[in-house]
């Protein structure tokens, strides 16, 4: 059926972030700057953790995985959006939309699980420091990383085929800057309420399981910190955990708005603003909040820069 084939496989049109902006090229420049800084800072984090032996610990290994996810996450969405603005076209093929949808869901899901499991690392480090080498061994770290990526992949494999099999016989214009589930479902000409309910339950579970781990871990951490006699030890524990809590609050809060709040709370403008926050700004904020302000990372950065400058001066000489 020709109409069915058209509705299933024709190109979509992404209306994007720039269409309703008074100064689109200023917004373009800001997003490009954020993208470059995000890619650079996360890449620096991965390189430092790989090169500096003092950072070869479970916490920094998990942070390197978070940085990798952030690089892939922002690279899935922002480059196409910027190129489309330059060349003046907004089309995205059915295959391209499906791929973007799958990669986005996989990375978002993996980051949800990783942030949840990282709280276990902080719990062990503060509440069971003597058993830390055993409870957070190399094998356990690998299991945490594999579990995070596997959980995200399952999310992508479950939701993407179902979302993309709906007939899109309404307008092909997606009032968004990437192929996100709620924006795509608005184009369907069939009833998607059952799927939306199932997706709602799935998202609640994906948020509830990691958030339960985080809540349990930080409850125990707060009790342990409260019982500490040394002010310095208490300060270090709070500083370490506060960074993680800020990142978790930002990422989970935005996700809860997008996938948990009822439709009556949503408008296209709000949806795009919240999505821009956790797809564009969060990959920038993660290394700044969580890593680069850390003394160990700052020391490793200064050490690496010193080596590069000294080797450069020697070769020049």
């Amino acid at each position: 059926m020709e109409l069915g084939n058209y509705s299933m496989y024709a190109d979509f049109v992404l209306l994007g972030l720039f269409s309703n902006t008074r100064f689109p090229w200023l917004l373009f420049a800001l997003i490009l700057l954020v993208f470059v800084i995000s890619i650079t800072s996360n890449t620096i984090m991965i390189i430092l953790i790989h090169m500096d032996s003092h950072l070869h610990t479970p916490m920094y290994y998990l942070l390197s995985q978070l940085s990798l996810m952030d690089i892939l996450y922002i690279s899935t969405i922002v480059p196409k959006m910027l190129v489309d603005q330059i060349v003046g076209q907004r089309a995205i093929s059915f295959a391209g939309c499906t791929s973007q949808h799958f990669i986005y869901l996989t990375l978002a899901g993996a980051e949800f699980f990783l942030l949840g499991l990282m709280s276990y690392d902080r719990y062990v480090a503060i509440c069971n420091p003597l058993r830390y080498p055993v409870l957070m061994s190399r094998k356990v770290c690998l299991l945490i990383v594999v579990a995070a990526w596997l959980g995200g992949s399952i999310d992508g494999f479950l939701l993407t085929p179902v979302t993309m099999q709906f007939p899109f016989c309404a307008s092909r214009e997606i009032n968004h800057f990437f192929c996100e589930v709620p924006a795509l479902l608005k184009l369907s000409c069939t009833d998607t309420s059952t799927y939306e309910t199932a997706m709602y339950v799935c998202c609640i579970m994906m948020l509830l399981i990691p958030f339960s781990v985080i809540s349990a871990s930080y409850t125990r951490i707060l009790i342990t910190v409260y019982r500490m006699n040394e002010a310095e030890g208490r300060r270090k524990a709070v500083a370490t955990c506060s960074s993680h809590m800020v990142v978790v609050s930002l990422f989970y809060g935005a996700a809860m708005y997008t996938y948990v709040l009822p439709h009556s709370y949503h408008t296209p403008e709000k949806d795009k603003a919240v999505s821009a926050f956790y797809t564009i700004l969060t990959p920038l904020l993660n290394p700044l909040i969580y890593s680069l302000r850390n003394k160990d990372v700052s020391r490793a950065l200064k050490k690496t820069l010193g080596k590069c400058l000294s080797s450069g001066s020697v070769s020049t000489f």
Side-chain angles (χ1 to χ4, degrees), residues 149-167:
W149 281 104
L150 184 61
S153 299
I154 291 172
D155 185 39
F157 278 116
L158 283 177
L159 295 182
T160 302
V162 181
T163 302
M164 302 309 292
Q165 60 86 32
F166 284 110

Side-chain angles (χ1 to χ4, degrees), residues 168-203:
F168 301 107
C169 51
S171 169
R172 308 295 295 186
E173 292 184 344
I174 302 173
N175 194 3
H176 215 300
F177 58 93
F178 72 102
C179 295
E180 193 170 27
V181 182
L184 278 167
L185 292 180
K186 290 177 183 177
L187 304 184
S188 176
C189 54
T190 59
D191 182 22
T192 61
S193 57
T194 303
Y195 173 57
E196 288 182 54
T197 303
M199 188 175 67
Y200 175 82
V201 173
C202 177
C203 291

Side-chain angles (χ1 to χ4, degrees), residues 43-277:
T43 302
I44 288 172
M45 264 313 299
I46 294 172
I47 292 171
L48 287 177
I49 291 169
H50 177 73
M51 291 181 62
D52 196 293
S53 59
H54 294 96
L55 301 181
H56 292 175
T57 63
M59 184 182 81
Y60 290 111
Y61 174 69
L62 298 178
L63 279 175
S64 70
Q65 290 296 310
L66 184 65
S67 290
L68 176 62
M69 289 176 186
D70 282 337
I71 290 172
L72 297 173
Y73 196 46
I74 196 170
S75 298
T76 301
I77 296 164
V78 173
K80 174 169 176 51
M81 179 173 61
L82 297 177
V83 170
D84 284 354
Q85 177 65 12
I86 293 172
V87 301
Q89 71 99 25
R90 299 172 181 176
I92 182 170
S93 66
F94 182 87
C97 190
T98 303
S99 300
Q100 188 183 67
H101 184 272
F102 171 74
I103 296 169
Y104 154 74
L105 284 177
T106 298
L107 293 169
E111 193 153 334
F112 281 136
F113 288 118
L114 184 64
L115 287 171
L117 293 167
M118 283 171 75
S119 66
Y120 171 74
D121 169 74
R122 292 300 83 209
Y123 158 72
V124 175
I126 294 170
C127 301
N128 294 286
L130 297 179
R131 299 185 64 198
Y132 186 76
V134 176
L135 295 176
M136 284 302 296
S137 64
R138 184 178 180 83
K139 183 179 179 180
V140 173
C141 287
L142 288 173
L143 285 174
I144 287 175
V145 170
V146 170
W149 281 104
L150 184 61
S153 299
I154 291 172
D155 185 39
F157 278 116
L158 283 177
L159 295 182
T160 302
V162 181
T163 302
M164 302 309 292
Q165 60 86 32
F166 284 110
F168 301 107
C169 51
S171 169
R172 308 295 295 186
E173 292 184 344
I174 302 173
N175 194 3
H176 215 300
F177 58 93
F178 72 102
C179 295
E180 193 170 27
V181 182
L184 278 167
L185 292 180
K186 290 177 183 177
L187 304 184
S188 176
C189 54
T190 59
D191 182 22
T192 61
S193 57
T194 303
Y195 173 57
E196 288 182 54
T197 303
M199 188 175 67
Y200 175 82
V201 173
C202 177
C203 291
I204 288 289
M205 292 299 294
M206 280 195 65
L207 290 168
L208 189 61
I209 294 172
F211 196 75
S212 299
V213 175
I214 292 168
S215 300
S217 298
Y218 277 97
T219 300
R220 294 295 301 273
I221 287 170
L222 288 172
I223 294 171
T224 303
V225 168
Y226 178 76
R227 292 173 179 171
M228 284 182 178
N229 295 321
E230 294 182 10
E232 180 66 17
R234 187 180 300 177
R235 187 190 64 78
K236 285 183 177 179
V238 171
T240 302
C241 296
S242 62
S243 296
H244 184 245
M245 285 307 297
V246 169
V247 171
V248 166
S249 301
L250 294 174
F251 199 71
Y252 278 58
M256 287 180 71
Y257 169 85
T258 303
Y259 292 101
V260 177
L261 281 184
H263 291 297
S264 57
Y265 290 89
H266 291 256
T267 64
E269 289 72 26
K270 285 182 183 177
D271 289 350
K272 284 192 273 189
V274 172
S275 295
F277 179 80

